[in-house]
Amino acid sequence: MIAYNSERISLALLGKTNSGKSSFLNFISDQDVSIVSNQKGTTTDPIKKSMEIHDFGPVLFFDTAGFDDDTNLYEKRIEKTKKAIEKADILLYFLSIDDKIEEISVLKEKYDKIIFIATKQDLEIGKDLLEKFKDFSPLAINIKNNHDREKFFDKIKSAYKIEDNSITKSLVKENDLVLLVIPQDAEAPKYRLIKPQVMTIREIIDKNASAVSTNLKNLENTLNSFNKKPDLVITDSQYFKEVYNILDKDIRLTSFSVLFSAFKADINYYIESVKKLDQGAKKILIAEACSHPPISEDIGTVKIPKLLKKRYKDIEIYFQRGEDFENIEKYDLIIQCGACMFNKKYVMERIKQAKEKNIPMTNYGIVIAYLNGILDKISI
């Protein structure tokens, strides 16, 4: 599988200023990734570094601003740090001698996947850290000792079990014929496929199945060229109805958006939530992960609102893009995109927030299938 950042295991480096976060990242990556300085506020936006850990897999480090940054940009920097925490599969907290035992205890109780790290083991303060926080079993790291890299990697491997995630799950098995209907409209980048399409094709090939791609216009010709029916058809959600009407009804159909709902979200919650549309939902939030400017054929800002307003005359539609996900309690329903640019941890964090506020949440593919009356016909 291609190691996109959103599919890497994310590790957020947290702690007070000058606790050794940036020095550690440079040490682990064996590169000058972060600026190291005694001056507070050196790290502003989280610095990202992707790498591969042998016998573990691809990871993405976030070096964040210190919690006690007292510069003028403190509030904005801390908001960025909070976003990094929401995305992180593993939290790495770098202990400072100024940390209070009570505060560290709260962190340990709040986060189940948190590793406390005591750096500066080449200095006397490093020993002081180990003694003060011994009840938290901190990992002692000396950045002047190359063997401590492997010690850290071993700790990560023991602390985090990688799930055997699959996009197509049991829908595709060895020797299957899978037909992908990929529309190349104004939203499609020229000369390349979008991320969900590439990832799905790669997984199909990895399963020793066959992936055949076509567009909507050529769908019937492609079907007629086969000497057997495809075992599964995957399309873009916005063409659910057109593809469904062409296929024989015994051919299984799904979409990239629906597959990604099951891959990195709570698809059962999505399916249950979409029913809110016929239960009086008035204020609808459409949350688009991508931050590209919307275009005339945009599915999130144009096509789905058009479908919704055709059926529900008095609804109000609002939009948030990128990492914006604010004041969600004022909406009756949230419609999230496929979120291919977000990792699973961050998508599930959004769902958690929605559930805590009792706000139904669904996604593009589920909504389109529901509005076309074929949700119960879609393979999930």
Side-chain angles (χ1 to χ4, degrees):
M1 184 69 69
I2 298 172
Y4 293 102
N5 279 351
S6 57
E7 271 57 66
R8 291 176 178 269
I9 303 301
S10 296
L11 302 95
L13 283 63
L14 310 172
K16 292 187 175 180
T17 53
N18 301 326
S19 58
K21 301 186 300 297
S22 298
S23 296
F24 172 84
L25 184 55
N26 292 343
F27 166 68
I28 286 297
S29 62
D30 199 22
Q31 297 177 32
D32 288 332
V33 178
S34 293
I35 298 174
V36 177
S37 170
N38 290 327
Q39 181 178 341
K40 287 187 176 183
T42 303
T43 302
T44 53
D45 284 354
I47 295 171
K48 300 178 183 179
K49 173 59 183 176
S50 58
M51 62 181 292
E52 189 91 13
I53 297 180
H54 182 63
D55 287 336
F56 183 74
V59 298
L60 180 66
F61 289 94
F62 290 89
D63 184 12
T64 66
F67 282 124
D68 57 340
D69 173 5
D70 57 5
T71 65
N72 293 333
L73 296 176
Y74 170 77
E75 293 294 339
K76 291 184 178 180
R77 288 175 176 173
I78 292 304
E79 280 303 311
K80 293 284 188 179
T81 297
K82 289 178 180 177
K83 287 292 184 183
I85 292 174
E86 290 177 351
K87 295 176 183 177
D89 297 291
I90 304 173
L91 300 180
L92 307 177
Y93 189 89
F94 289 77
L95 295 164
S96 169
I97 204 67
D98 296 327
D99 281 322
K100 294 181 173 59
I101 296 292
E102 306 78 46
E103 295 173 343
I104 301 303
S105 297
V106 170
L107 288 174
K108 186 177 181 180
E109 291 178 8
K110 185 173 182 179
Y111 301 107
D112 58 343
K113 288 187 172 59
I114 184 167
I115 297 172
F116 296 101
I117 297 179
T119 59
K120 306 179 182 179
Q121 291 303 305
D122 55 320
L123 304 173
E124 190 62 34
I125 192 174
K127 308 302 184 290
D128 294 339
L129 288 171
L130 290 180
E131 177 60 28
K132 180 176 180 179
F133 300 104
K134 60 185 178 182
D135 291 341
F136 301 92
S137 303
L139 181 66
I141 294 291
N142 180 355
I143 64 172
K144 295 183 179 179
N145 184 350
N146 288 335
H147 293 295
D148 280 8
R149 282 198 193 92
E150 291 305 320
K151 184 165 69 174
F152 169 73
F153 294 152
D154 289 342
K155 181 69 174 180
I156 292 298
K157 293 173 188 176
S158 65
Y160 188 87
K161 180 176 174 55
I162 297 179
E163 298 178 16
D164 186 17
N165 284 336
S166 169
I167 299 169
T168 58
K169 294 185 169 57
S170 61
L171 292 176
V172 176
K173 60 184 185 301
E174 188 173 3
N175 298 323
D176 274 355
L177 172 62
V178 183
L179 177 59
L180 300 101
V181 184
I182 302 176
Q184 296 300 297
D185 54 22
E187 291 181 75
K190 193 171 183 179
Y191 302 128
R192 62 188 174 95
L193 301 176
I194 61 175
K195 176 182 168 183
Q197 297 163 354
V198 174
M199 290 180 63
T200 304
I201 291 171
R202 173 60 190 268
E203 181 173 292
I204 292 168
I205 295 171
D206 286 344
K207 287 187 171 185
N208 293 318
S210 298
V212 178
S213 301
T214 188
N215 57 24
L216 182 62
K217 184 177 180 180
N218 198 43
L219 175 56
E220 291 188 79
N221 287 336
T222 304
L223 289 168
N224 292 333
S225 69
F226 294 150
N227 58 14
K228 57 169 283 189
K229 292 182 179 180
D231 297 288
L232 178 69
V233 174
I234 307 173
T235 185
D236 191 291
S237 296
Q238 58 187 309
Y239 293 101
F240 254 149
K241 185 175 182 181
E242 292 86 345
V243 174
Y244 177 79
N245 289 337
I246 292 173
L247 295 180
D248 291 344
K249 297 306 174 270
D250 59 341
I251 297 177
R252 294 178 302 159
L253 172 65
T254 190
S255 77
F256 297 103
S257 180
V258 170
L259 290 178
F260 266 66
S261 296
F263 178 57
K264 60 171 61 179
D266 184 343
I267 193 167
N268 293 323
Y269 188 65
Y270 281 175
I271 291 172
E272 185 62 30
S273 293
V274 76
K275 300 173 185 176
K276 185 69 175 179
L277 284 170
D278 284 319
Q279 296 171 358
K282 299 298 182 185
K283 294 186 176 182
I284 312 293
L285 171 65
I286 295 182
E288 170 67 71
C290 294
S291 56
H292 63 76
I295 59 176
S296 59
E297 295 182 30
D298 190 77
I299 184 171
T301 57
V302 178
K303 294 184 176 180
I304 288 179
K306 186 176 180 180
L307 283 172
L308 289 169
K309 289 185 176 180
K310 181 178 180 181
R311 181 159 167 176
Y312 310 101
K313 306 298 184 184
D314 57 347
I315 63 168
E316 301 173 24
I317 299 177
Y318 303 84
F319 302 93
Q320 291 187 19
R321 304 183 68 80
E323 295 184 356
D324 291 342
F325 200 65
E326 309 296 334
N327 302 316
I328 62 173
E329 60 276 1
K330 66 183 183 181
Y331 304 107
D332 299 314
L333 176 67
I334 300 168
I335 303 176
Q336 166 78 51
C337 68
C340 59
M341 302 306 295
F342 292 157
N343 68 355
K344 182 174 182 177
K345 171 65 165 55
Y346 189 45
V347 176
M348 292 304 295
E349 181 64 29
R350 284 189 164 195
I351 293 173
K352 178 184 175 184
Q353 291 179 36
K355 287 182 176 180
E356 288 174 347
K357 297 178 184 296
N358 198 29
I359 308 297
M361 184 172 178
T362 187
N363 95 322
Y364 287 11
I366 301 298
V367 166
I368 293 173
Y370 182 79
L371 293 176
N372 283 309
I374 60 172
L375 181 56
D376 60 335
K377 310 293 194 305
I378 302 303
S379 294
I380 296 171

